[in-house]
Amino acid sequence: MAVEQQEATARRKGEHIRICLQEKVNGVGIETGFERLRFKHNAMPELSFRSISLETEWFGKKLGAPLLVSSMTGGTDEAGAINRRLAIAAEERGWAIGLGSMRAAIEQEELAASFKIRKEAPTVPVIANIGAVQLNYGFGPEACQRAVDLSEADALVLHLNSMQEVFQPEGDTDFSHLYARIEQVCRSVSVPVGIKEVGWGIDGETASALAGVGVAFIDAAGAGGTSWSQVEKFRSKDMMRREAAEAFADWGIPTALSIAEIRSALPSMKLVASGGLQHGVDAAKSLALGANMAGFGRVLLPKAAGGNSEVSVRELLEQFERIEFELRTAMFGIGAGTIEELRNTNRLIAI
């Protein structure tokens, strides 16, 4: 049975990677909201480009930039290779890195190797990851702590993916009574516990309720990027669900709106902006909206999934450097010399 379960996990993870690389899985008819925001150019920035600092701190560790490799994958040899390449690049550039769902590693410890990236990323924050719904399917604080220990993580994120689970053939759809279970995890696990969506966003009211049960950080993971109902559409053999997925192609809270709502509701909450970010200007807009960190996911996957590890890492490093350059240039364009000045700018305007 364990072998069959392991093969099913490997098949699902492999399908997710292939679909995200080869199919059109963005939401349709919905954008991130960044396209409606512009920075008011400052023709006299009154600072030197070279003096601009991207440095920040996250979970008590210094980072070269307020940037995060968003949780993507794990559970197979291919996924492990992707995670290691991303970890090498994150360590080199000083980014935080999140892992994909670690349910597989908890259920089958032989799959844990694909999540063990501390060797490649010894100094940057690593974030373990468990689906929040698994708290209703036998996982408790002990399993969550196990995920943290296996990955030597600095934090744990519980991901919310209710819409994906509905369309996933093997989905778990009992999302009842999760606030109490999340509170128990927050009180028991040895590291900060956060919540992230997977691409449909979190509203201010929900964020406030999560803060009330002890959540230490929130990743908005808004709509406008990858839609996991679209991803699962390509996996499903159920024609009814495949057709129904099209009705939800524009579902979700645009990333920019989700960030703004959460920040308005929770002025002090540690906030990650992810969901369809494409470049450093999107990161700058996220930070100007009030986020503490900006996360990049599927946009990094093509280079991370390359066949040659050495080439993949080199290309990832170039991509990371470009994103940082774009972020720094946006800051120069509005006269913000530090990340704190960017987060407090009044030069982000709606059009």
Side-chain angles (χ1 to χ4, degrees), residues 256-274:
L257 177 58
S258 182
I259 298 164
E261 275 207 28
I262 296 169
R263 180 50 74 219
S264 176
L266 299 169
S268 301
M269 174 64 70
K270 289 187 180 297
L271 176 57
V272 179
S274 70

Side-chain angles (χ1 to χ4, degrees), residues 206-269:
T206 301
S208 294
L210 289 165
V213 298
V215 166
F217 65 99
I218 294 175
D219 186 337
T226 303
S227 166
W228 282 91
S229 56
Q230 293 291 91
V231 173
E232 297 299 346
K233 175 188 72 176
F234 288 105
R235 290 188 63 232
S236 180
K237 294 180 174 59
D238 182 334
M239 189 54 65
M240 183 274 287
R241 275 181 167 75
R242 287 178 65 95
E243 293 178 356
E246 293 302 319
F248 293 88
D250 64 352
W251 191 267
I253 305 168
T255 299
L257 177 58
S258 182
I259 298 164
E261 275 207 28
I262 296 169
R263 180 50 74 219
S264 176
L266 299 169
S268 301
M269 174 64 70

Side-chain angles (χ1 to χ4, degrees), residues 22 49 72 102 105 241 257 268 297 317 325:
Q22 298 178 5
F49 183 78
M72 278 187 275
M102 296 181 66
R241 275 181 167 75
L257 177 58
S268 301
L317 285 168
F325 176 78

Side-chain angles (χ1 to χ4, degrees), residues 48-98:
S48 166
F49 183 78
R50 290 185 177 183
S51 72
I52 294 172
S53 173
L54 302 185
E55 291 183 356
T56 191
E57 188 178 283
W58 191 245
F59 303 125
K61 293 188 173 182
K62 290 184 178 180
L63 292 176
L67 301 172
L68 165 74
V69 178
S70 290
S71 307
M72 278 187 275
T73 192
T76 69
D77 290 343
E78 179 187 15
I82 290 171
N83 281 339
R84 285 188 290 275
R85 292 164 189 162
L86 288 165
I88 291 169
E91 176 70 21
E92 177 72 20
R93 299 302 307 182
W95 292 28
I97 180 168

